[in-house]
Amino acid sequence: MSLLTKITDVIGGSLFGSVKELITDYFPPDMSPEKKAELQRKIDEMELKKQIAILEAAADAEKTLNQRIAEQEGTASDLKQLPIVGRIVLFLRGLQRPMWGFFVMYLDFEWFTKAPTYTEQQQSALIVINLLVLGFLFGERTITNLKPLIVEVFGRGRR
């Protein structure tokens, strides 16, 4: 789920949820169960329509952002128009992730086999390099999964 979707869920969901709770809490006491069920169904329909509108707005905003990025930075098909240089740039761009991955694997191998000889500053630098490269290669999921470890490792030095 994108950040924009999360924000719209929080903004739209909390307001509508409050109104829905208010309405359902103050059903007239003499209202028949059929009328209550019908009113509940209408409230649920309104909530569904609101959610659909929010998701459509988030999708439109994300599409607009992607189009703007493509206009500003160009696309891979733009690079293919350059006869030799474009193909070289595409090749290097495709080679970047594996090279960073193997570089970090080599650094980690050296670190794990020679760890006692590394200073604390060098070990901290290797942790930062690992986080940056893994975050770049695997995205937000890596940082999210490693968040408790990051807090533990970097929180230790501040105490």
Side-chain angles (χ1 to χ4, degrees):
M1 189 184 301
S2 72
L3 177 64
L4 185 59
T5 307
K6 290 178 186 176
I7 291 171
T8 54
D9 281 349
V10 168
I11 293 170
S14 63
L15 176 63
F16 190 82
S18 300
V19 172
K20 181 180 174 182
E21 284 179 27
L22 182 69
I23 291 171
T24 54
D25 286 347
Y26 291 99
F27 277 144
D30 58 342
M31 184 181 268
S32 69
E34 295 83 21
K35 289 281 187 183
K36 282 184 182 180
E38 182 181 340
L39 186 57
Q40 184 66 42
R41 184 184 53 78
K42 287 182 180 181
I43 291 172
D44 291 341
E45 284 178 12
M46 287 175 39
E47 185 175 14
L48 179 63
K49 287 178 184 177
K50 177 200 63 85
Q51 288 294 333
I52 290 172
I54 287 173
L55 291 174
E56 286 174 350
D60 288 344
E62 200 163 332
K63 182 179 176 184
T64 303
L65 177 65
N66 289 340
Q67 287 175 345
R68 179 162 169 77
I69 290 171
E71 289 171 6
Q72 296 292 321
E73 296 180 5
T75 61
S77 60
D78 295 335
L79 287 172
K80 288 181 182 177
Q81 294 175 1
L82 300 171
I84 296 171
V85 176
R87 300 225 182 261
I88 292 172
V89 170
L90 282 175
F91 174 74
L92 293 174
R93 204 165 92 175
L95 191 65
Q96 181 175 350
R97 287 179 186 227
M99 285 190 60
W100 276 109
F102 285 121
F103 173 68
V104 170
M105 281 177 32
Y106 172 76
L107 287 178
D108 288 344
F109 174 76
E110 289 290 316
W111 180 18
F112 292 135
T113 57
K114 302 175 183 177
T117 61
Y118 281 25
T119 66
E120 188 173 324
Q121 185 177 9
Q122 289 171 325
Q123 290 182 4
S124 294
L126 284 170
I127 290 170
V128 170
I129 289 170
N130 270 285
L131 289 175
L132 288 173
V133 171
L134 290 175
F136 173 73
L137 291 177
F138 301 109
E140 180 184 351
R141 184 180 300 169
T142 302
I143 302 300
T144 304
N145 290 339
L146 291 177
K147 187 176 182 179
L149 179 65
I150 294 169
V151 169
E152 181 183 328
V153 168
F154 290 106
R156 191 173 46 199
R158 292 187 180 157
R159 291 180 189 161

